[in-house]
Amino acid sequence: MTIDWSWIGDHTDDLTSLTLSHLQAAMTAVFFGLVISLPLAVLAHRVRPLRGFLLGLSNVLFTIPSIAIFVLLLPVSGLTRTTTVIGLTVYTLVVLLRNTVEGLDSVPAKTKEAAKAMGTRPLRTLLTVELPLALPVIMAGVRIATVMSISLVSVATYIGDGGLGQLFTDGFQRDFPTPVIVGVVLTILLAVVADALLVALQYVLTPWRRRRA
């Protein structure tokens, strides 16, 4: 299997555009996944009877095949980027919701009691004590959700989107391996770079862990 390097040089602009589109879809889904999962995780953490229901619901959604989710969304949002983002967001929830709940559970009870004894209101305790201490576990979920979303964007090719996934379709249809190889390499690079940036972000956001180390 050989690579046509001239094809890569002739399609640099297209590759750049597809890569940015791919990354935008994945990161938008992770963002909305966080927006949805954070309040749900706090609710599941505080109201124990809801914990099993919310985590179970997210697990059920995760079992739906990705193509099926996109097809089910077509009557609602059509062949648009919105369909891609909604589908990917659904898949991020199972990871983000569970990790956020586990992160909040990992905060020592004595720490929360100390904040309460100092007169800190529950909302402020959540924002300044619980979430920061839960951040490493939450970020682990964000990293998994990001890599997963980047890998799943290509599936949206079946609804006319898909970012780098369009290279796979093009290569298979023409029996031309170069676009397929390039698409795989760029997808892997996106996942590796995104994960590295999230590790760096976590390092910046958790200075107390550096001091302890």
Side-chain angles (χ1 to χ4, degrees):
M1 184 179 294
T2 59
I3 299 178
D4 185 348
W5 296 102
S6 63
W7 180 91
I8 298 176
D10 293 338
H11 294 80
T12 303
D13 292 340
D14 293 334
L15 294 176
T16 301
S17 177
L18 289 175
T19 301
L20 293 176
S21 175
H22 195 106
L23 183 62
Q24 181 190 44
M27 298 313 297
T28 303
V30 174
F31 171 77
F32 283 116
L34 273 173
V35 170
I36 296 171
S37 64
L38 281 175
L40 290 179
V42 173
L43 188 63
H45 175 68
R46 299 283 173 84
V47 186
R48 291 291 171 166
L50 287 176
R51 181 190 183 101
F53 171 75
L54 291 173
L55 293 179
L57 179 60
S58 67
N59 287 334
V60 169
L61 292 174
F62 191 73
T63 63
I64 303 174
S66 54
I67 296 179
I69 285 184
F70 293 137
V71 171
L72 290 173
L73 289 171
L74 286 179
V76 179
S77 48
L79 297 171
T80 64
R81 172 52 60 91
T82 301
T83 300
T84 302
V85 171
I86 294 175
L88 294 175
T89 300
V90 168
Y91 277 98
T92 66
L93 289 179
V94 63
V95 178
L96 295 175
L97 181 58
R98 185 171 296 277
N99 273 59
T100 305
V101 171
E102 291 178 356
L104 292 172
D105 288 345
S106 69
V107 178
K110 291 183 178 179
T111 302
K112 293 183 284 187
E113 291 172 1
K116 183 178 180 180
M118 295 174 62
T120 307
R121 295 180 180 275
L123 179 59
R124 186 175 180 184
T125 300
L126 173 66
L127 296 177
T128 62
V129 177
E130 295 181 74
L131 285 177
L133 292 178
L135 190 60
V137 181
I138 296 173
M139 286 299 296
V142 173
R143 290 171 61 190
I144 295 172
T146 299
V147 172
M148 180 178 65
S149 294
I150 289 174
S151 67
L152 286 175
V153 170
S154 299
V155 180
T157 302
Y158 291 100
I159 62 168
D161 198 355
L164 293 169
Q166 296 179 42
L167 297 176
F168 305 153
T169 303
D170 178 54
F172 288 135
Q173 288 179 343
R174 295 193 293 146
D175 194 21
F176 181 40
T178 298
V180 179
I181 296 173
V182 172
V184 171
V185 171
L186 288 177
T187 301
I188 293 173
L189 285 176
L190 270 183
V192 171
V193 172
D195 187 62
L197 290 175
L198 288 172
V199 170
L201 178 62
Q202 179 180 335
Y203 182 81
V204 172
L205 294 177
T206 55
W208 60 88
R209 291 173 64 88
R210 299 199 300 271
R211 290 196 294 268
R212 185 172 60 185

